């Protein structure tokens, strides 16, 4: 009888012991799961914060560049037109007054055009193709080098965050080519390789040794910016043979 009671006690104790272990295991798993959820939420919040910070920096940079452009236009273009209009109105000849009025009309149109660039509304109203064409025309009009755009399709209806990043990365890539490469020609291709959409920025300039680039370089910054929108950045360059930058758009 005693042995039966002992067996019962052992079974009860074993059941309670195993139940306690299982309960502890479940509680531990729930705790670990919640910890991982909290860590994942923290990572997501950090990624969102970095994304918003990147976009804010890009907006500020574009606004600063826009203001610098407006300053140059006011000084070099509108200032000259107003001086010319003043000379014409100072003449006693009626035909010069008519020329002065035409110049003033031109000034009004120029000022209206500049006023539209004081905010970032133009980012939403312009396609990437149009922006690239404007940038290349501006470079070629300076006589710096020849430029060409080849596009298989029109990049439209992009989210504003993607468009902002692309605009800034393209600007920086072109500025780097002009500052450091001394190219005779810059070519930008907008094309599609299967489901992948890419923007290729090529120049035939001096090129450089990519192994000398550091994590603190401007190219790393451009790569990081493309990653914030789920895109890709690839650079290849050879000394004396030019540089190619491939921007892969997010799917």
């Amino acid at each position: 009888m005693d042995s039966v009671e002992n067996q019962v006690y052992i079974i009860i104790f074993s059941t309670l012991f195993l139940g306690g272990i299982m309960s502890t295991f479940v509680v531990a798993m729930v705790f670990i799961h919640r910890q991982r959820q909290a860590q994942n939420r923290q990572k997501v919040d950090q990624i969102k914060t970095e994304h918003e910070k990147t976009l804010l920096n890009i907006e500020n940079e574009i606004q600063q560049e826009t203001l610098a452009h407006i300053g140059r236009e006011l000084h070099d273009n509108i200032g000259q037109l107003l001086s010319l209009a003043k000379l014409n109105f100072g003449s006693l000849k009626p035909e010069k007054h008519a020329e002065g009025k035409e110049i003033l009309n031109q000034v009004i149109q120029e000022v209206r055009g500049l006023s539209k660039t004081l905010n970032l509304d133009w980012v939403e109203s312009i396609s990437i193709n149009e922006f690239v064409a404007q940038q290349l025309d501006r470079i070629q009009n300076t006589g710096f080098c020849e430029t060409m755009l080849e596009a298989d399709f029109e990049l439209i209806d992009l989210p504003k965050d993607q468009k902002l990043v692309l605009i800034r990365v393209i600007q920086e890539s072109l500025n780097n080519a002009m500052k450091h490469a001394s190219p005779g020609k810059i070519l930008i291709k907008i094309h599609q390789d299967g489901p992948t959409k890419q923007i290729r920025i090529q120049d035939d300039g001096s090129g450089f040794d990519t192994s000398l680039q550091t994590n603190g370089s401007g190219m790393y910054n451009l790569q990081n910016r493309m990653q914030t929108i789920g895109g890709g950045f690839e650079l290849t360059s050879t000394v004396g043979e030019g540089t190619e930058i491939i921007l892969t758009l997010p799917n």
Side-chain angles (χ1 to χ4, degrees), residues 68-109:
H69 168 66
I70 290 172
R72 289 192 299 268
E73 286 294 307
L74 288 172
H75 180 270
D76 299 336
N77 183 22
I78 294 177
Q80 286 186 345
L81 288 173
L82 288 172
S83 296
L84 187 58
K86 181 180 178 181
L87 289 174
N88 279 280
F89 285 125
S91 173
L92 297 176
K93 298 178 180 179
E95 62 270 20
K96 290 295 182 181
H97 290 184
E99 288 181 20
K101 289 180 180 179
E102 290 180 7
I103 294 171
L104 281 182
N105 286 331
Q106 185 179 349
V107 169
I108 291 170
Q109 295 301 318

Side-chain angles (χ1 to χ4, degrees), residues 24 32 39 54 64 70 93 99 106 109 124 173-174 183:
T24 303
I32 292 172
Q39 290 173 351
T54 298
Q64 290 299 320
I70 290 172
K93 298 178 180 179
E99 288 181 20
Q106 185 179 349
Q109 295 301 318
E124 297 181 354
S173 299
L174 291 174

Side-chain angles (χ1 to χ4, degrees), residues 12-248:
I12 293 172
F13 176 77
S14 299
T15 302
L16 292 174
F17 179 73
L18 289 174
I21 291 176
M22 289 299 296
S23 298
T24 303
F25 176 76
V26 170
V27 170
M29 290 300 296
V30 169
F31 178 75
I32 292 172
H33 177 67
R34 287 182 177 176
Q35 261 194 332
R36 288 179 177 173
Q37 279 186 322
Q39 290 173 351
N40 289 337
R41 281 196 297 268
Q42 189 175 6
K43 287 181 180 178
V44 169
D45 290 341
Q46 185 177 358
I47 291 171
K48 286 182 178 178
T49 301
E50 288 296 322
H51 180 70
E52 291 171 357
K53 184 179 178 181
T54 298
L55 292 180
L56 181 61
N57 287 337
I58 290 173
E59 286 188 354
N60 288 336
E61 290 170 5
I62 292 177
Q63 285 174 339
Q64 290 299 320
E65 187 161 313
T66 299
L67 290 173
H69 168 66
I70 290 172
R72 289 192 299 268
E73 286 294 307
L74 288 172
H75 180 270
D76 299 336
N77 183 22
I78 294 177
Q80 286 186 345
L81 288 173
L82 288 172
S83 296
L84 187 58
K86 181 180 178 181
L87 289 174
N88 279 280
F89 285 125
S91 173
L92 297 176
K93 298 178 180 179
E95 62 270 20
K96 290 295 182 181
H97 290 184
E99 288 181 20
K101 289 180 180 179
E102 290 180 7
I103 294 171
L104 281 182
N105 286 331
Q106 185 179 349
V107 169
I108 291 170
Q109 295 301 318
E110 294 285 346
V111 170
R112 284 176 177 170
L114 286 176
S115 66
K116 293 179 181 179
T117 64
L118 284 172
N119 53 44
L120 292 181
D121 289 345
W122 62 269
V123 171
E124 297 181 354
S125 64
I126 193 172
S127 72
I128 292 297
N129 297 58
E130 291 171 331
F131 172 77
V132 170
Q134 287 180 4
Q135 295 297 302
L136 294 180
D137 285 344
R138 188 175 297 172
I139 293 172
Q140 181 145 336
N141 289 337
T142 65
F144 181 82
C145 70
E146 291 185 13
T147 63
M148 181 179 295
L149 170 62
E150 295 179 1
D152 298 337
F153 58 94
E154 187 83 7
L155 267 175
I156 55 176
D157 297 330
L158 290 175
K160 186 179 178 181
D161 60 340
Q162 291 185 17
K163 194 180 288 189
L164 275 171
V165 170
L166 286 173
I167 283 174
R168 194 56 184 159
V169 171
I170 292 168
Q171 280 181 328
E172 285 298 305
S173 299
L174 291 174
N175 287 339
N176 287 333
M178 294 172 66
K179 287 180 182 177
H180 308 297
S182 300
K185 182 177 181 180
I186 296 176
L187 168 64
I188 294 184
K189 296 180 180 179
I190 299 175
H191 75 109
Q192 189 161 352
D193 183 10
T196 304
K197 295 179 180 179
Q198 293 181 332
I199 300 174
R200 292 175 176 257
I201 305 170
Q202 303 171 339
D203 71 70
D204 61 357
S206 56
F208 60 94
D209 185 352
T210 56
S211 66
L212 299 179
Q213 292 296 298
T214 64
N215 286 343
S217 70
M219 292 301 172
Y220 177 81
N221 185 39
L222 298 183
Q223 181 181 37
N224 191 44
R225 289 184 167 188
M226 287 299 297
Q227 288 176 349
T228 64
I229 60 170
F233 179 95
E234 181 182 349
L235 182 146
T236 56
S237 185
T238 304
V239 176
E241 297 184 13
T243 301
E244 180 180 53
I245 292 173
I246 301 175
L247 308 179
T248 302

